[in-house]
Short mmCIF file of all heavy atoms in Angstrom, two decimals:
data_model
loop_
_atom_site.label_atom_id
_atom_site.label_comp_id
_atom_site.label_asym_id
_atom_site.label_seq_id
_atom_site.Cartn_x
_atom_site.Cartn_y
_atom_site.Cartn_z
N TYR A 42 33.44 -31.15 7.33
CA TYR A 42 33.53 -32.51 6.79
C TYR A 42 32.18 -32.90 6.15
O TYR A 42 32.14 -33.41 5.04
CB TYR A 42 33.91 -33.48 7.91
CG TYR A 42 33.61 -34.93 7.62
CD1 TYR A 42 34.41 -35.69 6.76
CD2 TYR A 42 32.51 -35.55 8.22
CE1 TYR A 42 34.13 -37.02 6.50
CE2 TYR A 42 32.23 -36.88 7.96
CZ TYR A 42 33.04 -37.61 7.10
OH TYR A 42 32.74 -38.93 6.85
N VAL A 43 31.09 -32.63 6.85
CA VAL A 43 29.76 -32.97 6.33
C VAL A 43 29.43 -32.12 5.11
O VAL A 43 28.90 -32.62 4.12
CB VAL A 43 28.69 -32.82 7.43
CG1 VAL A 43 27.28 -32.97 6.85
CG2 VAL A 43 28.92 -33.85 8.53
N ALA A 44 29.78 -30.84 5.15
CA ALA A 44 29.52 -29.97 4.00
C ALA A 44 30.26 -30.48 2.77
O ALA A 44 29.70 -30.49 1.66
CB ALA A 44 29.94 -28.54 4.32
N HIS A 45 31.49 -30.94 2.93
CA HIS A 45 32.24 -31.50 1.80
C HIS A 45 31.54 -32.76 1.28
O HIS A 45 31.39 -32.93 0.07
CB HIS A 45 33.68 -31.83 2.19
CG HIS A 45 34.40 -32.60 1.13
ND1 HIS A 45 34.89 -32.02 -0.02
CD2 HIS A 45 34.68 -33.91 1.03
CE1 HIS A 45 35.44 -32.94 -0.78
NE2 HIS A 45 35.33 -34.10 -0.18
N ALA A 46 31.14 -33.64 2.19
CA ALA A 46 30.47 -34.88 1.79
C ALA A 46 29.21 -34.57 0.99
O ALA A 46 28.91 -35.24 0.00
CB ALA A 46 30.13 -35.72 3.02
N MET A 47 28.49 -33.55 1.40
CA MET A 47 27.26 -33.20 0.70
C MET A 47 27.57 -32.50 -0.63
O MET A 47 26.83 -32.67 -1.60
CB MET A 47 26.38 -32.34 1.59
CG MET A 47 25.92 -33.11 2.84
SD MET A 47 24.83 -32.18 3.90
CE MET A 47 23.28 -32.48 3.03
N ALA A 48 28.66 -31.76 -0.68
CA ALA A 48 29.01 -31.03 -1.90
C ALA A 48 29.44 -31.97 -3.03
O ALA A 48 29.25 -31.64 -4.20
CB ALA A 48 30.11 -30.01 -1.61
N VAL A 49 30.02 -33.13 -2.68
CA VAL A 49 30.49 -34.03 -3.75
C VAL A 49 29.32 -34.51 -4.60
O VAL A 49 29.48 -34.79 -5.78
CB VAL A 49 31.30 -35.23 -3.21
CG1 VAL A 49 32.55 -34.77 -2.49
CG2 VAL A 49 30.48 -36.16 -2.36
N ALA A 50 28.14 -34.59 -4.01
CA ALA A 50 26.96 -35.00 -4.78
C ALA A 50 26.62 -33.95 -5.83
O ALA A 50 26.17 -34.28 -6.93
CB ALA A 50 25.78 -35.24 -3.87
N ASP A 51 26.86 -32.70 -5.50
CA ASP A 51 26.59 -31.62 -6.46
C ASP A 51 27.66 -31.51 -7.53
O ASP A 51 27.50 -30.78 -8.49
CB ASP A 51 26.48 -30.28 -5.72
CG ASP A 51 25.27 -30.23 -4.80
OD1 ASP A 51 24.28 -30.93 -5.09
OD2 ASP A 51 25.33 -29.50 -3.79
N ASP A 52 28.75 -32.24 -7.35
CA ASP A 52 29.88 -32.16 -8.28
C ASP A 52 30.14 -33.52 -8.94
O ASP A 52 31.29 -33.94 -9.10
CB ASP A 52 31.11 -31.65 -7.54
CG ASP A 52 32.22 -31.20 -8.47
OD1 ASP A 52 31.93 -30.88 -9.64
OD2 ASP A 52 33.38 -31.20 -8.04
N GLY A 53 29.06 -34.25 -9.25
CA GLY A 53 29.19 -35.51 -9.97
C GLY A 53 29.19 -36.75 -9.11
O GLY A 53 29.24 -37.86 -9.63
N GLY A 54 29.12 -36.59 -7.80
CA GLY A 54 29.10 -37.74 -6.90
C GLY A 54 27.68 -38.09 -6.48
O GLY A 54 26.70 -37.69 -7.11
N VAL A 55 27.60 -38.83 -5.39
CA VAL A 55 26.31 -39.27 -4.85
C VAL A 55 26.35 -39.14 -3.34
O VAL A 55 27.36 -39.47 -2.70
CB VAL A 55 26.03 -40.75 -5.24
CG1 VAL A 55 24.70 -41.22 -4.64
CG2 VAL A 55 26.04 -40.93 -6.75
N ASN A 56 25.27 -38.66 -2.75
CA ASN A 56 25.12 -38.58 -1.29
C ASN A 56 23.71 -39.06 -0.96
O ASN A 56 22.73 -38.46 -1.37
CB ASN A 56 25.34 -37.15 -0.81
CG ASN A 56 25.38 -36.99 0.69
OD1 ASN A 56 25.17 -35.90 1.19
ND2 ASN A 56 25.65 -38.03 1.43
N LEU A 57 23.64 -40.18 -0.24
CA LEU A 57 22.36 -40.79 0.12
C LEU A 57 22.23 -40.87 1.63
O LEU A 57 23.22 -41.04 2.34
CB LEU A 57 22.28 -42.21 -0.45
CG LEU A 57 22.40 -42.33 -1.96
CD1 LEU A 57 22.58 -43.79 -2.36
CD2 LEU A 57 21.18 -41.72 -2.64
N VAL A 58 20.99 -40.80 2.10
CA VAL A 58 20.71 -41.03 3.51
C VAL A 58 19.62 -42.09 3.64
O VAL A 58 18.78 -42.24 2.76
CB VAL A 58 20.25 -39.74 4.25
CG1 VAL A 58 21.39 -38.76 4.40
CG2 VAL A 58 19.05 -39.10 3.58
N ALA A 59 19.70 -42.81 4.75
CA ALA A 59 18.61 -43.69 5.17
C ALA A 59 17.99 -42.99 6.37
O ALA A 59 18.70 -42.57 7.29
CB ALA A 59 19.14 -45.06 5.57
N VAL A 60 16.67 -42.82 6.34
CA VAL A 60 15.97 -42.16 7.43
C VAL A 60 14.87 -43.07 7.95
O VAL A 60 14.23 -43.78 7.20
CB VAL A 60 15.39 -40.79 7.00
CG1 VAL A 60 16.50 -39.80 6.69
CG2 VAL A 60 14.46 -40.92 5.82
N ASP A 61 14.69 -43.03 9.28
CA ASP A 61 13.63 -43.84 9.87
C ASP A 61 12.29 -43.12 9.73
O ASP A 61 12.22 -42.03 9.14
CB ASP A 61 13.97 -44.21 11.32
CG ASP A 61 13.94 -43.02 12.28
OD1 ASP A 61 13.42 -41.94 11.93
OD2 ASP A 61 14.44 -43.18 13.41
N THR A 62 11.24 -43.71 10.25
CA THR A 62 9.90 -43.14 10.08
C THR A 62 9.74 -41.79 10.75
O THR A 62 8.84 -41.04 10.41
CB THR A 62 8.83 -44.12 10.61
OG1 THR A 62 9.14 -44.45 11.96
CG2 THR A 62 8.78 -45.38 9.77
N ASP A 63 10.62 -41.46 11.71
CA ASP A 63 10.60 -40.15 12.36
C ASP A 63 11.44 -39.12 11.62
O ASP A 63 11.54 -37.98 12.05
CB ASP A 63 11.09 -40.25 13.80
CG ASP A 63 10.20 -41.11 14.68
OD1 ASP A 63 8.97 -41.12 14.44
OD2 ASP A 63 10.72 -41.78 15.58
N GLY A 64 12.12 -39.55 10.54
CA GLY A 64 12.97 -38.64 9.79
C GLY A 64 14.40 -38.56 10.31
O GLY A 64 15.18 -37.74 9.83
N THR A 65 14.74 -39.40 11.28
CA THR A 65 16.10 -39.40 11.83
C THR A 65 17.03 -40.15 10.89
O THR A 65 16.71 -41.25 10.42
CB THR A 65 16.10 -40.07 13.22
OG1 THR A 65 15.20 -39.37 14.07
CG2 THR A 65 17.49 -40.07 13.84
N VAL A 66 18.19 -39.56 10.63
CA VAL A 66 19.17 -40.19 9.76
C VAL A 66 19.79 -41.38 10.49
O VAL A 66 20.41 -41.23 11.53
CB VAL A 66 20.28 -39.18 9.35
CG1 VAL A 66 21.34 -39.87 8.50
CG2 VAL A 66 19.67 -38.00 8.58
N CYS A 67 19.61 -42.58 9.92
CA CYS A 67 20.17 -43.79 10.52
C CYS A 67 21.27 -44.39 9.66
O CYS A 67 21.93 -45.35 10.07
CB CYS A 67 19.07 -44.82 10.81
SG CYS A 67 18.10 -45.33 9.38
N GLY A 68 21.52 -43.80 8.49
CA GLY A 68 22.61 -44.24 7.63
C GLY A 68 22.89 -43.17 6.59
O GLY A 68 22.02 -42.35 6.27
N GLU A 69 24.14 -43.16 6.13
CA GLU A 69 24.53 -42.18 5.11
C GLU A 69 25.66 -42.77 4.30
O GLU A 69 26.50 -43.52 4.81
CB GLU A 69 25.00 -40.88 5.77
CG GLU A 69 25.28 -39.73 4.81
CD GLU A 69 26.73 -39.63 4.36
OE1 GLU A 69 27.58 -40.38 4.86
OE2 GLU A 69 27.01 -38.80 3.49
N LEU A 70 25.68 -42.45 3.00
CA LEU A 70 26.73 -42.89 2.09
C LEU A 70 27.05 -41.73 1.16
O LEU A 70 26.14 -41.09 0.64
CB LEU A 70 26.25 -44.09 1.28
CG LEU A 70 27.20 -44.70 0.27
CD1 LEU A 70 26.92 -46.20 0.12
CD2 LEU A 70 27.14 -44.01 -1.07
N HIS A 71 28.33 -41.47 0.99
CA HIS A 71 28.73 -40.49 -0.02
C HIS A 71 29.96 -41.00 -0.76
O HIS A 71 30.77 -41.73 -0.22
CB HIS A 71 28.99 -39.10 0.58
CG HIS A 71 30.06 -39.03 1.61
ND1 HIS A 71 29.82 -39.21 2.96
CD2 HIS A 71 31.38 -38.81 1.50
CE1 HIS A 71 30.96 -39.08 3.62
NE2 HIS A 71 31.93 -38.84 2.76
N VAL A 72 30.00 -40.62 -2.03
CA VAL A 72 31.08 -41.04 -2.92
C VAL A 72 31.26 -39.94 -3.94
O VAL A 72 30.30 -39.26 -4.31
CB VAL A 72 30.75 -42.41 -3.57
CG1 VAL A 72 29.53 -42.35 -4.45
CG2 VAL A 72 31.94 -42.99 -4.32
N GLU A 73 32.51 -39.75 -4.37
CA GLU A 73 32.75 -38.69 -5.35
C GLU A 73 33.25 -39.26 -6.67
O GLU A 73 33.77 -40.37 -6.72
CB GLU A 73 33.70 -37.64 -4.81
CG GLU A 73 35.04 -38.12 -4.37
CD GLU A 73 35.82 -37.01 -3.66
OE1 GLU A 73 35.64 -36.86 -2.44
OE2 GLU A 73 36.58 -36.29 -4.36
N ARG A 74 33.02 -38.48 -7.71
CA ARG A 74 33.49 -38.85 -9.04
C ARG A 74 34.90 -38.30 -9.21
O ARG A 74 35.18 -37.16 -8.85
CB ARG A 74 32.58 -38.28 -10.11
CG ARG A 74 32.97 -38.73 -11.53
CD ARG A 74 32.13 -38.02 -12.58
NE ARG A 74 30.76 -38.48 -12.62
CZ ARG A 74 30.32 -39.44 -13.42
NH1 ARG A 74 31.13 -40.09 -14.22
NH2 ARG A 74 29.05 -39.77 -13.41
N MET A 75 35.78 -39.11 -9.79
CA MET A 75 37.13 -38.65 -10.07
C MET A 75 37.08 -37.58 -11.15
O MET A 75 36.26 -37.67 -12.08
CB MET A 75 38.03 -39.82 -10.47
CG MET A 75 38.24 -40.79 -9.31
SD MET A 75 39.41 -42.10 -9.68
CE MET A 75 40.96 -41.18 -9.54
N LYS A 76 37.95 -36.58 -11.06
CA LYS A 76 37.89 -35.42 -11.96
C LYS A 76 38.82 -35.53 -13.17
O LYS A 76 38.62 -34.84 -14.14
CB LYS A 76 38.24 -34.14 -11.17
CG LYS A 76 37.23 -33.86 -10.09
CD LYS A 76 35.86 -33.69 -10.68
CE LYS A 76 34.82 -33.55 -9.61
NZ LYS A 76 33.52 -33.98 -10.05
N VAL A 77 39.86 -36.35 -13.11
CA VAL A 77 40.76 -36.52 -14.24
C VAL A 77 40.00 -37.29 -15.32
O VAL A 77 39.39 -38.33 -15.03
CB VAL A 77 42.04 -37.27 -13.81
CG1 VAL A 77 42.96 -37.52 -14.98
CG2 VAL A 77 42.74 -36.50 -12.69
N ALA A 78 40.05 -36.81 -16.56
CA ALA A 78 39.21 -37.36 -17.63
C ALA A 78 39.34 -38.87 -17.78
O ALA A 78 38.32 -39.56 -17.95
CB ALA A 78 39.54 -36.67 -18.96
N ILE A 79 40.55 -39.41 -17.70
CA ILE A 79 40.73 -40.85 -17.91
C ILE A 79 40.06 -41.68 -16.80
O ILE A 79 39.76 -42.85 -16.99
CB ILE A 79 42.23 -41.19 -18.03
CG1 ILE A 79 42.42 -42.60 -18.60
CG2 ILE A 79 42.95 -41.02 -16.70
CD1 ILE A 79 43.86 -42.93 -18.97
N PHE A 80 39.80 -41.05 -15.66
CA PHE A 80 39.17 -41.74 -14.53
C PHE A 80 37.75 -41.24 -14.25
O PHE A 80 37.16 -41.60 -13.23
CB PHE A 80 40.01 -41.56 -13.26
CG PHE A 80 41.41 -42.06 -13.39
CD1 PHE A 80 42.48 -41.18 -13.27
CD2 PHE A 80 41.68 -43.39 -13.62
CE1 PHE A 80 43.79 -41.62 -13.39
CE2 PHE A 80 42.98 -43.85 -13.74
CZ PHE A 80 44.04 -42.97 -13.63
N ALA A 81 37.18 -40.45 -15.13
CA ALA A 81 35.88 -39.83 -14.86
C ALA A 81 34.74 -40.84 -14.75
O ALA A 81 33.66 -40.50 -14.28
CB ALA A 81 35.56 -38.80 -15.95
N HIS A 82 34.98 -42.07 -15.14
CA HIS A 82 33.96 -43.12 -15.03
C HIS A 82 33.99 -43.79 -13.66
O HIS A 82 33.23 -44.73 -13.40
CB HIS A 82 34.16 -44.17 -16.12
CG HIS A 82 35.43 -44.95 -15.95
ND1 HIS A 82 36.67 -44.41 -16.21
CD2 HIS A 82 35.65 -46.21 -15.51
CE1 HIS A 82 37.60 -45.31 -15.95
NE2 HIS A 82 37.00 -46.41 -15.52
N VAL A 83 34.84 -43.29 -12.75
CA VAL A 83 35.06 -43.94 -11.45
C VAL A 83 34.44 -43.12 -10.33
O VAL A 83 34.67 -41.92 -10.21
CB VAL A 83 36.57 -44.12 -11.19
CG1 VAL A 83 36.81 -44.75 -9.81
CG2 VAL A 83 37.21 -44.96 -12.28
N LEU A 84 33.67 -43.80 -9.48
CA LEU A 84 33.22 -43.23 -8.21
C LEU A 84 34.18 -43.76 -7.15
O LEU A 84 34.42 -44.97 -7.06
CB LEU A 84 31.78 -43.64 -7.89
CG LEU A 84 30.71 -43.11 -8.84
CD1 LEU A 84 29.32 -43.61 -8.41
CD2 LEU A 84 30.73 -41.58 -8.92
N THR A 85 34.72 -42.87 -6.32
CA THR A 85 35.77 -43.23 -5.38
C THR A 85 35.60 -42.49 -4.06
O THR A 85 34.71 -41.66 -3.91
CB THR A 85 37.16 -42.93 -6.01
OG1 THR A 85 38.18 -43.52 -5.20
CG2 THR A 85 37.41 -41.44 -6.14
N ASP A 86 36.49 -42.77 -3.14
CA ASP A 86 36.51 -42.13 -1.82
C ASP A 86 35.15 -42.30 -1.13
O ASP A 86 34.58 -41.36 -0.61
CB ASP A 86 36.91 -40.67 -1.93
CG ASP A 86 37.44 -40.12 -0.61
OD1 ASP A 86 37.78 -40.93 0.27
OD2 ASP A 86 37.50 -38.88 -0.46
N LEU A 87 34.66 -43.52 -1.16
CA LEU A 87 33.35 -43.86 -0.62
C LEU A 87 33.40 -43.97 0.89
O LEU A 87 34.31 -44.58 1.45
CB LEU A 87 32.88 -45.19 -1.23
CG LEU A 87 31.45 -45.60 -0.94
CD1 LEU A 87 30.92 -46.39 -2.12
CD2 LEU A 87 31.32 -46.41 0.32
N THR A 88 32.43 -43.35 1.54
CA THR A 88 32.25 -43.49 2.98
C THR A 88 30.81 -43.88 3.24
O THR A 88 29.89 -43.31 2.67
CB THR A 88 32.57 -42.17 3.71
OG1 THR A 88 33.93 -41.83 3.49
CG2 THR A 88 32.32 -42.29 5.22
N VAL A 89 30.63 -44.86 4.11
CA VAL A 89 29.29 -45.26 4.54
C VAL A 89 29.29 -45.31 6.06
O VAL A 89 30.25 -45.75 6.68
CB VAL A 89 28.85 -46.61 3.92
CG1 VAL A 89 29.76 -47.75 4.35
CG2 VAL A 89 27.40 -46.91 4.24
N ALA A 90 28.21 -44.80 6.65
CA ALA A 90 28.04 -44.82 8.10
C ALA A 90 26.63 -45.30 8.41
O ALA A 90 25.66 -44.79 7.84
CB ALA A 90 28.27 -43.43 8.69
N VAL A 91 26.54 -46.27 9.30
CA VAL A 91 25.24 -46.78 9.75
C VAL A 91 25.22 -46.69 11.27
O VAL A 91 26.16 -47.16 11.94
CB VAL A 91 24.99 -48.23 9.27
CG1 VAL A 91 23.68 -48.77 9.83
CG2 VAL A 91 24.98 -48.30 7.75
N ASP A 92 24.17 -46.10 11.79
CA ASP A 92 24.00 -45.99 13.24
C ASP A 92 24.16 -47.38 13.86
O ASP A 92 23.55 -48.34 13.39
CB ASP A 92 22.61 -45.43 13.54
CG ASP A 92 22.37 -45.16 15.00
OD1 ASP A 92 22.66 -46.02 15.85
OD2 ASP A 92 21.85 -44.06 15.30
N PRO A 93 24.98 -47.50 14.90
CA PRO A 93 25.18 -48.81 15.53
C PRO A 93 23.87 -49.49 15.93
O PRO A 93 23.76 -50.72 15.88
CB PRO A 93 26.05 -48.51 16.75
CG PRO A 93 26.80 -47.28 16.36
CD PRO A 93 25.84 -46.47 15.51
N ASP A 94 22.85 -48.71 16.29
CA ASP A 94 21.56 -49.28 16.66
C ASP A 94 20.81 -49.85 15.45
O ASP A 94 19.85 -50.59 15.61
CB ASP A 94 20.67 -48.23 17.34
CG ASP A 94 21.26 -47.72 18.64
OD1 ASP A 94 22.03 -48.48 19.29
OD2 ASP A 94 20.98 -46.56 19.01
N TRP A 95 21.24 -49.49 14.25
CA TRP A 95 20.60 -49.94 13.03
C TRP A 95 21.42 -50.97 12.26
O TRP A 95 20.96 -51.50 11.25
CB TRP A 95 20.31 -48.73 12.11
CG TRP A 95 19.10 -47.98 12.54
CD1 TRP A 95 19.02 -46.99 13.49
CD2 TRP A 95 17.78 -48.16 12.06
NE1 TRP A 95 17.74 -46.54 13.61
CE2 TRP A 95 16.95 -47.25 12.74
CE3 TRP A 95 17.21 -49.00 11.11
CZ2 TRP A 95 15.59 -47.16 12.50
CZ3 TRP A 95 15.85 -48.91 10.86
CH2 TRP A 95 15.05 -47.99 11.56
N GLN A 96 22.61 -51.26 12.72
CA GLN A 96 23.45 -52.21 12.01
C GLN A 96 22.84 -53.60 12.04
O GLN A 96 22.22 -53.99 13.02
CB GLN A 96 24.86 -52.19 12.59
CG GLN A 96 25.57 -50.89 12.26
CD GLN A 96 26.94 -50.76 12.85
OE1 GLN A 96 27.48 -51.67 13.47
NE2 GLN A 96 27.53 -49.58 12.68
N GLY A 97 23.00 -54.32 10.95
CA GLY A 97 22.42 -55.65 10.83
C GLY A 97 20.96 -55.66 10.44
O GLY A 97 20.32 -56.72 10.42
N ARG A 98 20.41 -54.50 10.08
CA ARG A 98 19.00 -54.39 9.72
C ARG A 98 18.78 -54.03 8.26
O ARG A 98 17.69 -53.64 7.86
CB ARG A 98 18.32 -53.36 10.62
CG ARG A 98 18.38 -53.76 12.09
CD ARG A 98 18.13 -52.56 12.97
NE ARG A 98 16.83 -52.64 13.58
CZ ARG A 98 16.32 -51.68 14.34
NH1 ARG A 98 16.98 -50.56 14.56
NH2 ARG A 98 15.13 -51.82 14.87
N GLY A 99 19.85 -54.11 7.46
CA GLY A 99 19.71 -53.89 6.03
C GLY A 99 19.95 -52.47 5.56
O GLY A 99 19.82 -52.19 4.36
N VAL A 100 20.31 -51.56 6.47
CA VAL A 100 20.50 -50.16 6.08
C VAL A 100 21.69 -50.03 5.13
O VAL A 100 21.59 -49.40 4.08
CB VAL A 100 20.68 -49.26 7.33
CG1 VAL A 100 21.06 -47.84 6.93
CG2 VAL A 100 19.42 -49.26 8.17
N GLY A 101 22.83 -50.60 5.49
CA GLY A 101 24.01 -50.52 4.63
C GLY A 101 23.76 -51.11 3.26
O GLY A 101 24.10 -50.52 2.23
N SER A 102 23.14 -52.29 3.23
CA SER A 102 22.83 -52.93 1.94
C SER A 102 21.92 -52.05 1.10
O SER A 102 22.12 -51.91 -0.11
CB SER A 102 22.16 -54.28 2.17
OG SER A 102 23.02 -55.18 2.80
N ALA A 103 20.92 -51.46 1.72
CA ALA A 103 19.97 -50.61 0.99
C ALA A 103 20.67 -49.37 0.43
O ALA A 103 20.39 -48.96 -0.71
CB ALA A 103 18.81 -50.21 1.89
N LEU A 104 21.57 -48.78 1.20
CA LEU A 104 22.32 -47.62 0.71
C LEU A 104 23.16 -48.01 -0.51
O LEU A 104 23.18 -47.28 -1.51
CB LEU A 104 23.20 -47.05 1.81
CG LEU A 104 22.49 -46.26 2.91
CD1 LEU A 104 23.39 -46.09 4.13
CD2 LEU A 104 22.02 -44.91 2.38
N PHE A 105 23.84 -49.14 -0.43
CA PHE A 105 24.67 -49.58 -1.55
C PHE A 105 23.83 -49.95 -2.77
O PHE A 105 24.20 -49.62 -3.90
CB PHE A 105 25.57 -50.75 -1.14
CG PHE A 105 26.88 -50.31 -0.58
CD1 PHE A 105 27.05 -50.18 0.78
CD2 PHE A 105 27.95 -50.02 -1.42
CE1 PHE A 105 28.26 -49.77 1.31
CE2 PHE A 105 29.16 -49.61 -0.91
CZ PHE A 105 29.33 -49.48 0.47
N ARG A 106 22.70 -50.61 -2.57
CA ARG A 106 21.85 -50.96 -3.71
C ARG A 106 21.36 -49.69 -4.41
O ARG A 106 21.33 -49.62 -5.64
CB ARG A 106 20.68 -51.84 -3.27
CG ARG A 106 21.09 -53.29 -3.03
CD ARG A 106 19.89 -54.21 -2.89
NE ARG A 106 18.96 -53.80 -1.85
CZ ARG A 106 19.03 -54.17 -0.57
NH1 ARG A 106 19.99 -54.97 -0.17
NH2 ARG A 106 18.14 -53.74 0.29
N ALA A 107 20.99 -48.69 -3.61
CA ALA A 107 20.54 -47.42 -4.20
C ALA A 107 21.70 -46.74 -4.95
O ALA A 107 21.50 -46.21 -6.05
CB ALA A 107 19.99 -46.49 -3.11
#
Side-chain angles (χ1 to χ4, degrees):
Y42 161 76
V43 171
H45 171 76
M47 296 182 83
V49 299
D51 294 332
D52 195 23
V55 178
N56 187 201
L57 301 169
V58 290
V60 293
D61 69 14
T62 54
D63 296 327
T65 302
V66 176
C67 58
E69 187 267 354
L70 180 150
H71 60 270
V72 63
E73 58 188 87
R74 184 186 288 267
M75 294 185 76
K76 297 300 174 206
V77 177
I79 195 170
F80 302 117
H82 67 287
V83 178
L84 294 180
T85 191
D86 201 16
L87 189 149
T88 298
V89 62
V91 176
D92 185 312
D94 297 333
W95 281 85
Q96 290 177 5
R98 298 162 108 184
V100 173
S102 295
L104 286 164
F105 271 95
R106 283 192 304 272

